[in-house]
Amino acid sequence: MIDKMKYAAFFIAVLLIASCGGTPDYSPKPRGYFRIVYPEKEYQAYTEGCPFTFDYPKYGTIEPDRSRGAKPCWQNIQFPQFNATLHLSYQPVTSPKEFNELVEDAHKLSFKHTVKATSIDEAAIAYPARKVYGVYYTIDGNAASSAQFFLTDSTKHYLRGALYFNSEPRLDSIQPVLNFLKKDVDVMIKTFKWKKS
């Protein structure tokens, strides 16, 4: 019996000595995210039957908008590997009143994200040689859409764009992809032209 007690005491002593080597440095690990592999920036021209052209990335696919109420030349540029969609809606302008209403709608639709946005910045777009004008809205925070814009020639044409991710908006996780796709939106705007009618 005494031998068993000696062995038990020895075993407990060894455990205590081994465990008293100091407290381990432990801190919670941050949440991990998938590693994102970005494709090379290569662009192609959109020249379909709509009254405008622009360059868009080869890793994006353009599909007609199939939602209820969609009109001709409403397009969606899908970015499946990023789970994102750039919605484009074209509207011919028939009067100055309609033009003013479309511009006001773009402003309202961008600012409806104020509830979740930390800031909304507006930047003017102006390419007079191509008669392309508009406003680019950068929406910061956990808003559903982080980038919106409209383009117009101020008389006959109007196009609105909105970039959405098909997941819960969490800026900390989508920020790198958002920055990557915003560069593509910039290229689209810089290469945008109205077709001659």
Side-chain angles (χ1 to χ4, degrees), residues 11-32:
F11 183 70
I12 290 172
V14 169
L15 283 176
L16 288 173
I17 291 170
S19 66
C20 292
T23 57
D25 288 337
Y26 176 78
S27 60
K29 302 291 184 236
R31 179 179 288 168

Side-chain angles (χ1 to χ4, degrees), residues 69-141:
K71 297 180 181 178
C73 292
W74 283 24
Q75 309 287 342
N76 293 327
I77 303 178
Q78 303 288 350
F79 301 101
Q81 71 189 94
F82 301 122
N83 201 21
T85 304
L86 178 61
H87 299 276
L88 302 174
S89 50
Y90 170 77
Q91 181 77 31
V93 177
T94 57
S95 70
K97 181 183 178 215
E98 182 184 32
F99 173 74
N100 291 334
E101 289 171 356
L102 289 168
V103 170
E104 184 59 28
D105 281 349
H107 184 77
K108 284 180 185 173
L109 288 168
S110 295
F111 276 82
K112 82 173 188 176
H113 297 283
T114 304
V115 175
K116 294 276 188 175
T118 55
S119 70
I120 300 177
D121 295 324
E122 298 178 48
I125 299 167
Y127 296 101
R130 290 183 270 133
K131 295 184 180 178
V132 175
Y133 308 95
V135 176
Y136 189 99
Y137 299 94
T138 303
I139 304 163
D140 292 326

Side-chain angles (χ1 to χ4, degrees), residues 146-196:
S146 299
Q148 297 192 16
F149 62 91
F150 74 85
L151 303 173
T152 182
D153 65 352
S154 301
T155 56
K156 295 190 285 187
H157 304 291
Y158 172 90
L159 178 93
R160 182 174 177 277
L163 179 64
Y164 283 87
F165 287 89
N166 307 316
S167 60
E168 180 185 343
R170 290 183 26 217
L171 189 62
D172 61 339
S173 61
I174 65 166
Q175 188 69 57
V177 174
L178 176 61
N179 293 341
F180 183 81
L181 291 178
K182 275 185 177 178
K183 290 176 185 172
D184 296 328
V185 173
D186 291 344
V187 167
M188 180 199 159
I189 292 170
K190 287 175 183 171
T191 61
F192 192 91
K193 294 178 188 168
W194 301 109
K195 290 181 180 175
K196 293 181 182 178

